[in-house]
């Protein structure tokens, strides 16, 4: 959906230039849809980060870190150690996550994210030890290891501390090596499906029409608002076919929608929003509060003390606005012009849009986030 942000008064000035472009905008199919089966797979693993400068897990509060250290040292040939002999503050237990690409091959590398699991205060300067990364099916697809990179920092003293960013989350660029591939025989498919990111019957129909009009022996049909099936793919070079289809351009369509973020006062209105003929008037009070003080002092050579008495003055200044009449079936341009005509700001616009929806004059979905 084409959206524009209402930021008064600059929005009205640039709206006229934006609307003609929005009405005729065309986008590539690859930007509004993706091919089913061509997706990433999430990987996860549990590991240890070592080499921290005293900012690792406290073994008393993180018993799983102690058990992991014992298991690691045991596999490396170090004998059994008692709890009193393991008192390191330079180790942290972490969860390691990564995304395995659709066609990642054995030996290629992945970026990984390392997140502290215990009470470590920072992962800066640490090194992730060999960590198997498994998929949802339990199989190991990659192995991660390497020095971590932390963007945040934390400085602590006896009476104060300063923290910037999140020092307990780090990344390792190319920190994992793919050991197992996800089998996907692309050239053996008899048909290919396109999944729309924003399902819509009109957009799906336009996509199917654009594919049918393109050169080739493929036929496309709409299965539902979010799926377009391409038949006859098995008789051609599928990668070349998909490369041609994803670069076709269509004009996407969407339902009229108004999105309001009440916390920040942001309003986003779709270009298809329409309003019935209404009359709008917005007014209110400006409240001015003045704080002061009066001093009362006793007469000379008398008993008493100085007394300060606070005073408050409150003035109410009414702010009246005339009616702004919006003709029937007005567009986004007319709406903004009408709201600007009665001199209101973004916060008041939110209340007006909600009232228009309640009155049944706003023909759009009103979403408040």
């Amino acid at each position: 959906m084409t959206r524009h942000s209402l930021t008064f008064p600059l929005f009205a000035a640039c709206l006229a230039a934006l609307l003609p472009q929005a009405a005729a905008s065309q986008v590539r199919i690859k930007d509004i849809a993706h091919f089913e089966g061509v997706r990433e797979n999430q990987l996860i693993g549990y590991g240890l980060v070592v080499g921290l400068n005293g900012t690792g897990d406290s073994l008393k509060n993180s018993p799983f870190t102690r058990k992991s250290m014992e298991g690691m040292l045991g596999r490396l040939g170090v004998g059994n150690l008692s709890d009193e002999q393991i008192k390191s503050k330079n180790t942290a237990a972490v969860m390691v996550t990564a995304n395995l690409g659709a066609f990642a091959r054995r030996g290629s590398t992945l970026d990984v994210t390392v997140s502290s699991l215990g009470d470590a205060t920072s992962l800066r300067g640490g090194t992730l030890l060999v960590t198997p990364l498994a998929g949802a099916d339990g199989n190991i697809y990659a192995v991660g290891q390497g020095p971590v990179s932390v963007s945040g920092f934390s400085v602590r003293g006896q009476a104060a501390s300063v923290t910037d960013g999140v020092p307990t989350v780090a990344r390792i660029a190319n920190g994992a090596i793919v050991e197992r591939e996800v089998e996907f025989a692309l050239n053996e498919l008899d048909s290919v499906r396109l999944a729309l990111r924003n399902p819509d019957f009109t957009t799906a129909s336009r996509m199917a029409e654009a594919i049918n009009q393109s050169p080739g022996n493929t036929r496309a049909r709409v299965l539902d608002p979010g799926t377009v099936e391409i038949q006859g793919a098995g008789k051609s070079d599928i990668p070349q076919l998909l490369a041609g289809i994803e670069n076709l351009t269509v004009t996407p369509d969407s339902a009229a929608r108004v999105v309001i973020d009440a916390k920040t006062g942001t309003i986003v209105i779709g270009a298809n929003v329409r309003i019935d003929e209404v009359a709008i008037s917005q007014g209110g009070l400006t409240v001015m509060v003045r704080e002061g003080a009066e001093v009362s002092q006793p007469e000379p050579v008398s008993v008493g003390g100085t007394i300060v008495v606070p005073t408050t003055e409150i003035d109410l200044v009414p702010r009246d606005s005339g009616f702004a009449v919006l003709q029937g079936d007005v567009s986004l341009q007319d709406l903004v012009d009408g709201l600007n005509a009665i001199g209101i700001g973004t916060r008041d616009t939110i209340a007006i849009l909600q009232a228009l929806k309640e009155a049944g004059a706003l023909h759009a979905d009103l979403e408040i986030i």
Side-chain angles (χ1 to χ4, degrees):
M1 179 177 68
T2 303
R3 295 179 176 178
H4 310 289
S5 180
L6 279 177
T7 54
F8 292 90
L10 297 178
F11 178 77
C14 65
L15 182 63
L18 290 177
L19 283 179
Q21 297 175 5
S25 63
Q26 288 192 332
V27 299
R28 298 175 302 176
I29 289 180
K30 69 188 303 181
D31 298 323
I32 60 175
H34 65 273
F35 295 100
E36 285 190 1
V38 182
R39 63 178 183 85
E40 293 183 336
N41 294 274
Q42 297 176 328
L43 306 179
I44 189 171
Y46 170 83
L48 291 175
V49 171
V50 298
L52 304 177
N53 188 19
T55 59
D57 294 338
S58 59
L59 302 185
K60 180 179 180 181
N61 298 329
S62 304
F64 47 84
T65 306
R66 182 190 301 275
K67 294 296 183 182
S68 300
M69 293 174 61
E70 292 177 355
M72 176 194 66
L73 294 175
R75 289 191 298 270
L76 295 178
V78 180
N80 294 331
L81 300 175
S82 63
D83 292 346
E84 292 76 13
Q85 293 175 309
I86 302 179
K87 298 182 179 180
S88 173
K89 284 281 291 179
N90 298 338
T91 305
V94 294
M95 298 302 298
V96 184
T97 56
N99 289 328
L100 180 65
F103 301 103
R105 299 305 179 188
R106 190 176 291 109
S108 59
T109 58
L110 308 173
D111 294 343
V112 299
T113 301
V114 181
S115 306
S116 175
L117 188 62
D119 59 355
T121 57
S122 177
L123 299 179
R124 182 177 296 274
T127 299
L128 176 69
L129 300 183
V130 174
T131 303
L133 301 178
D137 56 0
N139 293 322
I140 304 300
Y141 287 92
V143 176
Q145 179 173 278
V148 302
S149 175
V150 179
S151 59
F153 68 87
S154 178
V155 179
R156 295 178 178 272
Q158 294 183 352
S161 63
V162 176
T163 301
D164 183 23
V166 184
T168 53
V169 177
R171 287 185 61 83
I172 307 177
N174 300 323
I177 299 177
V178 177
E179 301 291 345
R180 183 189 183 99
E181 299 176 3
V182 177
E183 299 297 333
F184 186 68
L186 185 63
N187 274 315
E188 296 180 4
L189 297 177
D190 293 329
S191 64
V192 179
R193 291 184 177 183
L194 279 166
L196 278 72
R197 295 188 175 93
N198 295 308
D200 182 82
F201 276 114
T202 304
T203 304
S205 177
R206 292 174 181 174
M207 288 176 54
E209 182 179 358
I211 295 172
N212 291 332
Q213 293 178 353
S214 64
N217 298 322
T218 58
R219 296 292 299 173
R221 61 178 183 139
V222 178
L223 299 183
D224 54 61
T227 308
V228 175
E229 184 180 45
I230 305 171
Q231 300 175 332
K235 300 179 181 179
S236 60
D237 183 3
I238 293 185
Q240 186 67 27
L241 172 67
L242 300 186
I245 290 176
E246 68 180 7
N247 284 291
L248 297 175
T249 58
V250 297
T251 302
D253 194 45
S254 60
R257 180 174 300 175
V258 178
V259 180
I260 296 175
D261 187 347
K263 298 183 293 296
T264 62
T266 301
I267 305 173
V268 180
I269 300 180
N272 296 323
V273 174
R274 291 295 181 268
I275 297 177
D276 289 337
E277 182 174 355
V278 291
I280 301 175
S281 177
Q282 194 276 341
L285 293 175
T286 300
V287 182
M288 294 183 294
V289 181
R290 299 184 182 90
E291 296 287 352
E294 293 183 357
V295 180
S296 176
Q297 293 183 343
E299 296 293 334
V301 194
S302 63
V303 179
T306 301
I307 299 177
V308 179
V309 180
T311 61
T312 301
E313 296 181 7
I314 301 178
D315 294 332
L316 301 180
V317 180
R319 185 189 65 184
D320 295 326
S321 299
F323 277 91
V325 179
L326 303 181
Q327 300 300 321
D329 193 28
V330 299
S331 64
L332 177 60
Q333 173 82 60
D334 301 322
L335 170 62
V336 176
D337 289 343
L339 296 178
N340 285 336
I342 56 178
I344 65 173
T346 306
R347 296 288 182 179
D348 296 329
T349 304
I350 294 176
I352 290 177
L353 290 173
Q354 291 174 324
L356 288 174
K357 184 64 175 178
E358 291 295 329
L362 178 63
H363 299 299
D365 294 333
L366 184 61
E367 181 178 348
I368 302 177
I369 58 176

